[in-house]
Amino acid sequence: MHHETDDLIAMLASGPDVAAAAPPGAPWRAAATVGAGVLASVALMAMLLGVRPNLEQLILLPDFWIKVGFVICISLAAWHVSRRLCVPGAATRALPLLIAMPLFLMWALGAIILNEAPAEQRAELFWGATWRSCPLLIAMLSLPILAAMLRLMRQLAPTQLRLAGAAAGFAAGGMAALVYCLHCPELAASFVGFWYVLGMLVPTAIGAAIGPRVLAW
């Protein structure tokens, strides 16, 4: 009994061990759950929007890969934040910085581009041609991914339910934005840094609103 008590104290002192707590096969099940949501989002995009006809030309441009890289960084950061929020007692103080860094870099790039562009081109670089539909389409494509993220998080142990739901929503928005890149014609950093992020904030708000209800355990 004394030996078991010592083991328990040592475990609590060392903090949460994510790898030890996760059952065998958990990473694969998590990947399958989120992957199913992403595939549903891709199918939704293909049916309702379609792949950009000139995508082969777009992928040759550096601006396209800057956009894709930004969205991937946002998705990975939000995914990591979501996972950490599902570990009771895990350190979360530095997590906002992970999401803030790619945002600030894209905003800085967008500000530089706007500052260097001729005055008559600045409005087009910010508004683009699809600002009315872009955030709504990203939000729509995020819904199956958000459902998958919340289902995954329900199997874990989040304690800050509203924050965890928001993180799940932001991750879903980032992944949906990556899917939307297959259709979107916009490349300007000033456009992506604002309108894409606005679209990501819609599932973030939805996740924060329903998190306390659907993530309770």
Side-chain angles (χ1 to χ4, degrees), residues 86-104:
C86 289
V87 181
T92 59
R93 184 174 301 177
L95 294 182
L97 185 61
L98 289 177
I99 294 177
M101 286 179 61
L103 286 173
F104 287 151

Side-chain angles (χ1 to χ4, degrees), residues 62-63 66-67 70 102-116 187-190:
D63 287 354
I66 291 174
K67 175 174 72 171
F70 165 70
L103 286 173
F104 287 151
L105 288 174
M106 182 57 82
W107 290 341
L109 179 59
I112 292 172
I113 290 174
L114 287 176
N115 184 62
E116 294 182 350
L187 299 178
S190 50

Side-chain angles (χ1 to χ4, degrees), residues 37-38 47 52 54 60 71 89 92 97 112 119 126 132 172 193 201 204 211:
V38 173
M47 289 188 298
R52 198 77 195 166
N54 64 335
L60 299 177
V71 173
T92 59
L97 185 61
I112 292 172
F126 178 78
R132 291 180 180 85
L201 290 177
T204 303

Side-chain angles (χ1 to χ4, degrees), residues 15 18 24 64 181 190:
V18 181
F64 177 83
C181 286
S190 50

Side-chain angles (χ1 to χ4, degrees), residues 25-164:
W28 292 107
R29 287 196 294 271
T33 300
V34 177
V38 173
L39 287 177
S41 179
V42 171
L44 190 62
M45 185 277 298
M47 289 188 298
L48 300 181
L49 304 175
V51 176
R52 198 77 195 166
N54 64 335
L55 184 62
E56 293 182 357
Q57 286 77 36
L58 292 180
I59 63 176
L60 299 177
L61 302 174
D63 287 354
F64 177 83
W65 293 107
I66 291 174
K67 175 174 72 171
V68 170
F70 165 70
V71 173
I72 289 176
C73 288
I74 285 289
S75 300
L76 291 176
W79 167 257
H80 179 72
V81 170
S82 300
R83 290 183 66 248
R84 295 300 293 173
L85 289 173
C86 289
V87 181
T92 59
R93 184 174 301 177
L95 294 182
L97 185 61
L98 289 177
I99 294 177
M101 286 179 61
L103 286 173
F104 287 151
L105 288 174
M106 182 57 82
W107 290 341
L109 179 59
I112 292 172
I113 290 174
L114 287 176
N115 184 62
E116 294 182 350
E120 63 273 12
Q121 294 181 9
R122 290 173 184 169
E124 182 180 355
L125 288 172
F126 178 78
W127 296 100
T130 62
W131 67 272
R132 291 180 180 85
S133 59
C134 173
L136 294 177
L137 292 175
I138 290 176
M140 177 190 69
L141 295 176
S142 74
L143 295 179
I145 307 175
L146 176 59
M149 287 288 298
L150 293 175
R151 179 178 181 181
L152 173 63
M153 294 178 80
R154 276 179 60 88
Q155 302 170 11
L156 302 174
T159 55
Q160 303 178 64
L161 302 185
R162 194 172 299 280
L163 188 59

